[in-house]
Amino acid sequence: MKKILIVCGNGLGSSFIVEMNVKKIIKELGKEAEVSHTDLSSAKSEAADIYIGSNEIIASLDDGKRTVFGLNNLLDNAKIKEILSNNL
């Protein structure tokens, strides 16, 4: 099972909202994944298969080894669905 980590600056508000949307979309797609959220500092040391966050935040995690996806709009469920459809 793949692990998806939703990342925001503080790991409290926006990442939690995106986590709920990601879980809903995964269920709609009939797929499975472990989903959690965290802050940027913690994300740098936490292993995951997919990292999702705002473009500004997620760029800090893109080291060429991680699979990261930035969002222009954190509430863009169509983009989140596209990411999950192509990567789960």
Side-chain angles (χ1 to χ4, degrees):
M1 181 181 304
K2 287 192 173 184
K3 180 177 179 179
I4 300 171
L5 192 59
I6 313 301
V7 183
C8 73
N10 294 319
L12 299 172
S14 58
S15 61
F16 180 65
I17 293 169
V18 175
E19 178 187 357
M20 291 189 310
N21 289 338
V22 165
K23 286 179 175 177
K24 179 179 145 197
I25 292 167
I26 288 172
K27 188 174 182 179
E28 288 173 3
L29 293 172
K31 302 199 178 210
E32 292 184 7
E34 179 184 334
V35 184
S36 61
H37 68 277
T38 191
D39 64 284
L40 179 58
S41 296
S42 300
K44 290 180 179 179
S45 62
E46 191 167 339
D49 297 298
I50 298 170
Y51 298 82
I52 299 174
S54 71
N55 283 330
E56 298 81 17
I57 295 291
I58 211 71
S60 298
L61 292 174
D62 192 1
D63 61 0
K65 297 177 185 172
R66 296 183 177 108
T67 303
V68 299
F69 295 97
L71 300 170
N72 287 327
N73 176 355
L74 291 175
L75 300 177
D76 185 353
N77 286 346
K79 180 65 177 173
I80 293 170
K81 189 171 190 175
E82 178 186 321
I83 291 167
L84 297 174
S85 294
N86 294 331
N87 293 285
L88 289 182

